[in-house]
């Protein structure tokens, strides 16, 4: 392709532009996980070493620290503008992976465009500066080396090891996805060996690679980043029961078996490939009807329905027809079995884990984290799918298709930063007043005084204090039900008595029911809005002073009144 | 003819350029219409700039409660504020309403804040005269920054509900008067704080 480099540059430009939108709009980092991340970097910038554990993986913390120290720019500026730009480079391995797997430059550019603009991928790879972004970059390069590895080439092997180490140290869930993908690929290979379709040597290589990565991951999770990874696994095992495990495992196994069946199909019928717009319409109606049916049957809340329709429908309408067309095309092109196996192994692993998680009590909502890597690993097939549809059309139709797909890409990109109305009440955007109020709270409140706040505001006070603050809700927010007062009152639906372990309460207007907000708690639990009566209760309860007001954020101080403890003794 | 001109490469170029134009224009528009939030911060602190201790709000008659009410202006323009201070005892008083809390107003202070500016209003509050009557306590006089004001504030002796309330009114050029609400560009807010206190028996001295 003559304009290959220009097109890649153009795709990268789109990728960076989409990821910089919130920072350019608000001038500070977007998303509340970013402030948790930065809160662990702040002490390192002050003292020269990390003072806390580094959940999910240490690499992104180190990267942010080094960028801040080397550039002399503030951590907030780095997290607002530089880090999203770097994580936007996750588009690049998607292009290279597709090009190497399919050997089709046009499909590679399409894959890059989708990686640059798909809302869920944008959100996890720079839209918010989170560990997944760095993990995805390394995972993308790892897939590129794995798809057609040359084990005799030492340079390639060193690069493969480096990218694998990058995944391991960047993000635990991405590591798990790569590990599961390798596991599924290994399973496929072993079945092929049993059927004498693949050499035993090939199987040995994959077993060795999977076992090595598995052992390394286990060592890192146990010894380097025990806090969140092992806790999440404990959480899964704590709420599991035999029936959900069996059902989840059974459905996951069916998916893996179906995927293996697809690999062995020698020829696929191209019925839907010739009717992409009909398929898109079917996908549209199905993706609208299924959530609506679930909603009206009581299986889905109104908030979840809004989010599913807002984010899910554009994804289904674009990805499903392209996937079907791409898969048919790849099967019929008689691509090497090993390549097809790898192309399907990673999305199969993610889809299986998603189904498994959905069926585990209390953990269904965690399945959303699988979707970005699932879509990312599907990109080569999506790229081939679009090019197959285009190649079947007349030149005039191709021109029309270019417009339709461009508008579809716009639809995908424009849903990257949903407001709280479309995000089950979660507000990832901070107002400047929230930031200023949190800074004042950190300056005014003694570091030992117990503060109650939700995760959204708690991450801010953690950041401004360098985690030197007594946020009581955070102590238990992974494993026990609800933070101190806010979470429990939200869960109860009415204001409860303020427990004795709370001295200050940080209340944000994004928690209130009347504003469509929620008290942000552990995402594996249902999030509840704080009833407006709770605000009235704080404003009127004797002994609860309102000591700061920034419009969107309020600080209440709970004074333990003597009148509550001892009767009055004398007259003044 | 057209087929030769509009092959794979032409398609990919058209798609990429169109996508770039559409996405960047749309996102640029989103950036342009993003509200530039304006706000006022109001908070209470002791003289050392920290939150009041648990003991600070337990007063005897004659004890001085020393606090500062601090304002920050982030409204992108100069603002004029009137800080009203009240003493109240009952729970029906609502400082967020425009009619205020009635006859227990102590003193007003006028403040002018430049954009990005901070202003501190020091407060020295003393209950100078109070008496017990049956099961009630009645505050008859309060001194604020050296000025004594006669008040009548009654509360139950066993379960005191005494509080100082600080309400900020913002000057509105449109209405030509001080108003209790200001807009951050998206919604209206009112700024007020309150501090509950207890009156213990005996003189502070």
């Amino acid at each position: 392709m003559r304009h290959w480099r220009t097109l890649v540059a153009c795709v990268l430009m789109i990728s960076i532009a989409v990821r910089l939108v919130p920072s350019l709009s608000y001038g500070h980092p977007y998303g509340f996980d970013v402030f948790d991340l930065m809160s662990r970097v702040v002490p390192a910038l002050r003292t020269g070493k990390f003072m806390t554990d580094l959940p999910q993986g240490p690499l992104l913390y180190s990267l942010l620290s080094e960028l801040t120290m080397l550039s002399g720019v503030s951590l907030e500026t780095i997290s607002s503008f530089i880090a999203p730009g770097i994580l936007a480079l996750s588009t690049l391995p998607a292009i290279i992976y597709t090009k190497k797997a399919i050997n089709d430059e046009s499909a590679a550019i399409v894959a890059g465009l989708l990686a640059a603009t798909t809302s869920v991928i944008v959100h996890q790879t720079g839209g918010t500066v989170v560990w997944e972004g760095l993990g995805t970059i390394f995972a993308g390069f790892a897939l590129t080396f794995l798809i057609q590895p040359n084990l005799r080439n030492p340079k390639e092997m060193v690069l493969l090891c480096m990218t694998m180490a990058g995944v391991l140290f960047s993000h635990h869930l991405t590591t798990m996805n790569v590990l599961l993908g390798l596991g599924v690929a290994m399973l496929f290979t072993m079945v092929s060996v049993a059927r004498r379709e693949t050499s035993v040597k090939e199987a040995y290589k994959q077993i060795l690679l999977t076992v090595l990565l598995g052992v390394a991951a286990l060592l890192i999770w146990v010894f380097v980043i025990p806090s969140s990874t092992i806790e999440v696994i404990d959480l899964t095992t704590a709420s599991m029961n035999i029936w959900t495990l069996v059902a989840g495992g059974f459905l996951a196994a069916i998916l893996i078996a179906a995927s293996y069946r697809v690999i062995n199909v020698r020829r696929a019928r191209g019925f839907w490939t010739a009717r992409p717009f009909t398929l898109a319409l079917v996908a549209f109606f199905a993706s609208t009807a299924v959530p609506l049916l679930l909603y009206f049957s009581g299986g889905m809340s109104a908030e979840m329905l809004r989010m599913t329709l807002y984010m899910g429908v554009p994804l289904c309408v674009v990805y499903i027809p392209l996937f079907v067309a791409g898969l048919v095309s790849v099967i019929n092109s008689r691509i090497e079995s090993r390549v097809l196996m790898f192309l399907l192994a990673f999305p199969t692993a993610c889809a299986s884990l998603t189904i498994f998680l959905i069926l585990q009590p209390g953990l269904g909502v965690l399945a959303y984290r699988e979707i970005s890597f699932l879509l990312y690993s599907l990109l080569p097939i999506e790229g081939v799918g679009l090019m197959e549809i285009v190649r079947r059309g007349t030149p005039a139709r191709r021109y029309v298709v270019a417009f339709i797909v461009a508008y579809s890409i716009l639809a995908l990109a424009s849903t990257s930063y949903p407001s709280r109305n479309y995000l089950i009440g979660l507000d990832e955007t901070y107002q400047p007043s929230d930031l200023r109020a949190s800074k004042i709270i950190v300056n005014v409140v003694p570091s030992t005084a117990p503060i109650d706040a939700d995760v959204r505001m708690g991450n801010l006070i953690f950041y401004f204090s360098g985690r030197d603050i007594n946020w009581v809700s955070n102590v238990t927010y992974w494993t026990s039900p609800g933070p101190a007062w806010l979470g429990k009152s939200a869960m109860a639906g009415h204001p409860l008595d303020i427990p004795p372990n709370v001295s200050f309460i940080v209340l944000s207007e994004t928690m209130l029911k009347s504003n469509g907000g929620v008290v942000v708690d552990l995402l594996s639990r249902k999030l509840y809005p704080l009833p407006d009566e709770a605000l009235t209760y704080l404003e009127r309860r004797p002994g609860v002073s309102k000591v700061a007001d920034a419009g969107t954020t309020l600080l209440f101080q709970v004074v333990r009144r003597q009148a509550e403890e001892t009767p009055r003794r004398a007259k003044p | 003819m057209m087929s030769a001109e509009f092959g794979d490469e032409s398609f990919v170029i058209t798609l990429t350029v169109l996508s770039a134009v559409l996405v960047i224009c749309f996102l640029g528009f989103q950036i342009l219409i993003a509200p530039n939030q304006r706000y006022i911060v109001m908070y209470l602190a002791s003289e050392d700039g920290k939150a009041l201790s648990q003991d600070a709000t337990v007063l005897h008659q004659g004890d001085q409660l020393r606090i500062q009410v601090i304002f920050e202006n982030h409204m992108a323009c100069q603002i004029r504020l009137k800080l009203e201070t009240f003493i109240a005892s009952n729970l029906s008083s609502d400082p967020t309403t425009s009619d205020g809390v009635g006859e227990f107003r102590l003193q007003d202070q006028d403040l002018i804040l430049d954009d990005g500016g901070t202003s501190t209003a020091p407060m020295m509050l003393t209950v100078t005269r109070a008496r017990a009557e049956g099961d009630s306590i009645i505050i008859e006089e309060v001194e604020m920054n050296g000025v004594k004001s006669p008040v009548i504030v009654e509360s139950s002796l066993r379960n005191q509900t005494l509080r100082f309330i600080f309400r900020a009114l913002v000057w509105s050029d449109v209405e030509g008067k001080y108003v209790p609400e200001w807009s951050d560009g998206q919604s209206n807010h009112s700024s007020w704080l309150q501090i509950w206190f207890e009156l213990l028996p005996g003189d502070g001295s």
Side-chain angles (χ1 to χ4, degrees):
Chain A
M1 191 179 276
R2 280 177 301 156
H3 301 288
W4 168 253
R5 286 185 182 182
T6 314
L7 288 170
V8 171
C10 202
V11 170
L12 283 178
M13 190 183 71
I14 295 172
S15 178
I16 293 169
V18 174
R19 281 151 182 85
L20 285 181
V21 167
S23 307
L24 290 170
S25 301
Y26 300 104
H28 54 254
Y30 173 80
F32 37 81
D33 281 342
V34 186
F35 284 91
D36 177 59
L37 196 158
M38 293 197 300
S39 72
R40 294 168 197 271
V41 175
V42 169
L45 297 175
R46 283 185 197 148
T47 63
K49 63 175 182 178
F50 290 107
M51 307 297 281
T52 61
D53 57 343
L54 306 173
Q56 317 218 19
L59 209 56
L60 189 59
Y61 303 95
S62 307
L63 181 71
L64 287 184
S65 311
E66 283 149 20
L67 283 172
T68 309
M69 285 188 276
L70 292 173
S71 65
V73 180
S74 75
L75 178 60
E76 267 186 53
T77 309
I78 295 285
S79 303
S80 303
F81 302 104
I82 311 293
I86 291 172
L87 298 184
L89 297 179
S90 57
T91 304
L92 204 56
I95 297 172
I96 300 170
Y97 176 45
T98 308
K99 192 181 169 193
K100 197 170 173 189
I102 314 285
N103 197 22
D104 183 337
E105 288 182 334
S106 304
I109 295 294
V110 173
L113 269 176
L114 289 173
T117 53
T118 302
S119 53
V120 185
I121 299 177
V122 169
H123 189 269
Q124 304 288 68
T125 59
T128 55
V129 178
V130 285
W131 310 263
E132 279 95 332
L134 201 58
T136 305
I137 292 181
F138 284 114
F141 280 118
L143 296 185
T144 309
F145 290 119
L146 282 169
I147 194 90
Q148 284 176 334
N150 181 0
L151 296 180
R152 289 170 194 272
N153 183 344
K155 202 167 121 187
E156 202 169 301
M157 280 301 97
V158 168
L159 286 172
L160 175 62
C161 290
M162 282 173 68
T163 51
M164 283 295 195
V167 177
L168 277 169
F169 284 100
S170 295
H171 185 230
H172 56 172
L173 191 61
T174 313
T175 306
M176 194 178 274
N177 286 331
V178 173
L179 202 54
L180 282 175
L182 280 174
V184 170
M186 186 181 78
L187 198 66
F188 288 166
T189 311
M190 285 167 76
V191 176
S192 296
V193 169
R195 295 174 62 176
R196 301 183 181 213
E197 290 166 355
T198 310
S199 71
V200 183
K201 206 175 165 186
E202 177 65 30
Y204 283 149
K205 284 178 201 165
Q206 284 189 21
I207 292 170
L208 185 69
L209 195 64
T210 312
V211 169
L212 277 177
L213 186 68
V215 170
L218 204 59
L219 289 173
I220 288 173
W221 292 344
V222 172
F223 294 109
V224 183
I225 45 167
S227 55
S228 51
T229 311
I230 301 298
E231 274 180 18
V232 171
I233 292 171
D234 283 348
L235 204 63
T236 318
T237 51
S239 48
M240 72 181 183
N241 68 59
I242 189 71
W243 296 112
T244 56
L245 279 178
V246 167
F250 179 69
L251 288 177
I254 285 182
L255 199 68
I256 293 170
S259 184
Y260 185 72
R261 173 84 186 101
V262 166
I263 293 165
N264 286 300
V265 170
R266 298 293 173 202
R267 180 127 200 106
R269 286 178 60 206
F271 178 77
W272 286 112
T273 313
R275 295 166 184 79
F277 294 109
T278 314
L279 185 54
L281 273 176
V282 171
F284 172 76
F285 285 115
S287 60
T288 310
V290 171
L292 281 173
L293 278 175
L294 280 171
Y295 171 68
F296 286 116
S297 63
M300 186 181 268
S301 65
E303 295 79 25
M304 192 63 88
L305 175 74
R306 271 201 299 271
M307 184 179 77
T308 310
L309 293 180
Y310 184 79
M311 307 274 285
V313 172
L315 283 175
C316 289
V317 170
V318 175
Y319 271 75
I320 290 175
L322 298 188
F323 174 71
V324 172
L327 194 60
V328 169
S329 169
V330 169
I331 290 169
N332 291 344
S333 68
R334 300 193 178 249
I335 194 171
E336 198 186 323
S337 289
R338 193 184 181 286
V339 173
L340 182 58
M341 205 182 282
F342 263 91
L343 277 178
L344 286 180
F346 291 93
T348 303
C350 291
S352 307
L353 186 57
T354 306
I355 289 174
F356 181 79
L357 282 174
I358 285 174
L359 289 174
Q360 302 317 309
L363 288 174
V365 76
L366 282 185
Y368 85 96
R369 300 182 72 185
E370 288 297 309
I371 295 170
S372 63
F373 196 72
L374 169 70
L375 297 181
Y376 191 86
S377 57
L378 277 176
L379 288 172
I381 298 176
E382 302 290 329
V384 173
L386 180 61
M387 291 317 297
E388 178 63 19
I389 291 166
V390 168
R391 282 165 192 149
R392 282 173 175 247
T394 61
R397 279 189 182 175
R398 287 178 197 174
Y399 198 65
V400 174
V401 168
F403 270 86
I404 292 172
V405 176
Y407 274 102
S408 306
I409 280 172
L410 174 64
L412 289 177
S414 62
T415 52
S416 299
Y417 306 105
S419 67
R420 60 174 171 258
N421 297 329
Y422 301 107
L423 205 60
I424 53 171
L426 293 167
D427 198 334
E428 293 252 34
T429 313
Y430 287 108
Q431 297 296 335
S433 53
D434 296 329
L435 271 74
R436 183 62 201 147
S438 304
K439 209 169 184 175
I440 289 169
I441 289 166
V442 167
N443 289 335
V444 166
V445 176
S447 61
T448 52
I451 299 181
D452 184 17
D454 70 345
V455 173
R456 182 176 177 277
M457 293 309 295
N459 283 346
L460 276 190
I461 59 173
F462 255 1
Y463 165 62
F464 286 112
S465 66
R467 299 185 82 80
D468 183 23
I469 201 100
N470 185 7
W471 172 21
V472 283
S473 329
N474 184 55
V475 177
T476 55
Y477 94 85
W478 270 112
T479 47
S480 70
W485 180 80
L486 290 164
K488 285 179 179 165
S489 294
M491 201 182 287
H494 58 85
L496 302 172
D497 281 341
I498 299 170
N501 66 329
V502 171
S503 291
F504 290 89
I505 295 171
V506 180
L507 192 143
S508 157
E509 67 168 13
T510 58
M511 298 174 189
L512 293 173
K513 190 174 185 177
S514 58
N515 290 330
V518 287
V519 174
V520 183
D521 190 9
L522 178 60
L523 285 177
S524 63
R525 284 195 291 267
K526 185 169 163 45
L527 303 179
Y528 297 91
L530 189 68
D532 288 30
E533 300 82 46
L535 175 59
T536 312
Y537 171 82
L538 290 178
E539 287 179 343
R540 297 194 173 182
R541 190 185 190 286
V544 181
S545 298
K546 186 180 171 194
V547 292
D549 183 342
T552 56
T553 301
L554 311 172
L555 177 68
F556 293 91
Q557 181 175 13
V558 184
V559 177
R560 302 286 158 211
R561 303 174 68 243
Q562 288 197 357
E564 291 171 0
E565 293 156 10
T566 53
R568 311 251 22 98
R569 290 181 297 273
K571 295 173 182 178
Chain B
M1 181 66 189
M2 196 171 174
S3 175
E5 284 174 2
F6 205 79
D8 280 7
E9 187 165 355
S10 304
F11 170 78
V12 173
I13 291 171
T14 311
L15 175 64
T16 309
V17 171
L18 268 177
S19 302
V21 170
L22 286 174
V23 168
I24 290 172
C25 285
F26 179 77
L27 298 177
F29 178 67
Q30 277 204 325
I31 293 167
L32 287 176
I33 62 162
N36 190 9
Q37 197 212 12
R38 296 165 297 165
Y39 62 100
I40 296 170
V41 184
M42 180 185 186
Y43 64 101
L44 274 173
S46 59
E47 285 181 311
D48 62 358
K50 293 287 179 187
L52 293 173
S53 65
Q54 296 275 329
D55 300 335
T57 52
V58 181
L59 304 175
H60 297 84
Q61 185 177 312
D63 276 352
Q64 208 170 51
L65 176 63
R66 286 166 173 263
I67 52 171
Q68 35 188 357
V69 180
I70 303 161
F71 288 95
E72 288 183 6
N73 172 23
H74 301 272
M75 294 292 280
C77 64
Q78 190 186 64
I79 58 168
R80 282 169 62 191
L81 291 176
K82 185 188 284 291
L83 172 60
E84 295 179 333
T85 305
F86 304 90
I87 182 167
S89 66
N90 59 7
L91 296 179
S92 61
S93 304
D94 184 359
T96 59
T97 56
S98 57
D99 55 348
V101 290
E103 66 263 34
F104 311 124
R105 192 149 105 195
L106 299 175
Q107 226 182 77
D108 295 346
Q109 295 178 60
D110 290 322
L111 304 164
I112 295 176
L113 278 86
D114 289 328
D115 179 34
T118 301
S119 183
T120 303
M123 299 276 180
M124 286 172 286
L125 297 154
T126 312
V127 174
T128 45
R129 202 166 66 234
R131 64 185 161 87
E133 199 174 275
D135 229 13
S136 300
I137 180 169
I138 299 167
I139 294 176
E140 294 177 326
E141 190 182 66
V142 174
E143 185 180 304
M144 179 181 157
N145 295 341
V147 178
K148 288 183 177 172
S149 306
V151 297
I152 300 290
V153 179
E154 187 176 354
S155 175
S156 156
L157 197 59
R158 283 188 178 273
N159 186 22
Q160 290 181 25
T161 54
L162 299 165
R163 55 181 168 162
F164 290 115
I165 299 168
F166 309 95
R167 182 172 71 155
L169 300 179
V170 185
W171 178 259
S172 163
D173 287 332
V174 178
E175 297 188 36
K177 61 176 184 179
Y178 284 102
V179 292
E181 289 197 326
W182 49 270
S183 170
D184 67 2
Q186 286 180 300
S187 52
N188 288 340
H189 302 275
S190 59
S191 295
W192 64 275
L193 305 173
Q194 68 181 356
I195 187 161
W196 291 91
F197 70 95
E198 254 185 306
L199 200 60
L200 286 185
D203 285 341
S205 56

